[in-house]
Amino acid sequence: LKKLLSTIPDVIKDRAKFLDLIRQIATAMQYMLAAVNAVAKHNEELLGSHKQTLDQHKKVFVRGCKSFSDTMKDYFKNGKAQNVYRVGHRLINQTNTLLRTL
């Protein structure tokens, strides 16, 4: 996911490549959440008191994914690439936070 997000500046000008990248990012977001949920489910006893923190970070990640989606819709309406870069960077940071929690 982070690698895909980091390629946004390289492909944003090519609409076809950018649309394909957005699809890949959406799939990677789903895989990320599925993986986090699987790890949490199989290691509940190890998480202990960190479960609430993990749940909170998952909620923030999901909100970040929604924000990314909304920003993509706005980008295709108004063409402001700076907002895309900002939300992509924020999602990378949220992914890092979620991974550190695990």
Side-chain angles (χ1 to χ4, degrees), residues 51-67:
K51 181 158 177 39
Q52 288 180 331
T53 304
L54 178 62
D55 289 342
Q56 182 62 31
H57 288 161
K58 282 192 320 189
K59 288 177 186 177
V60 170
F61 179 78
V62 169
R63 276 188 245 130
C65 292
K66 174 71 173 138
S67 175

Side-chain angles (χ1 to χ4, degrees), residues 35-60:
V36 168
N37 287 331
V39 168
K41 181 180 177 183
H42 295 352
N43 296 292
E44 285 183 34
E45 65 281 348
L46 293 175
L47 285 174
S49 63
H50 296 293
K51 181 158 177 39
Q52 288 180 331
T53 304
L54 178 62
D55 289 342
Q56 182 62 31
H57 288 161
K58 282 192 320 189
K59 288 177 186 177
V60 170

Side-chain angles (χ1 to χ4, degrees), residues 8-57:
I8 289 174
D10 300 332
V11 299
I12 198 166
K13 300 291 183 200
D14 184 336
R15 186 176 176 90
K17 287 182 181 179
F18 188 50
L19 288 172
D20 184 52
L21 179 63
I22 291 170
R23 284 188 211 73
Q24 291 175 26
I25 289 170
T27 301
M29 287 179 203
Q30 291 172 340
Y31 287 149
M32 175 73 175
L33 276 175
V36 168
N37 287 331
V39 168
K41 181 180 177 183
H42 295 352
N43 296 292
E44 285 183 34
E45 65 281 348
L46 293 175
L47 285 174
S49 63
H50 296 293
K51 181 158 177 39
Q52 288 180 331
T53 304
L54 178 62
D55 289 342
Q56 182 62 31
H57 288 161

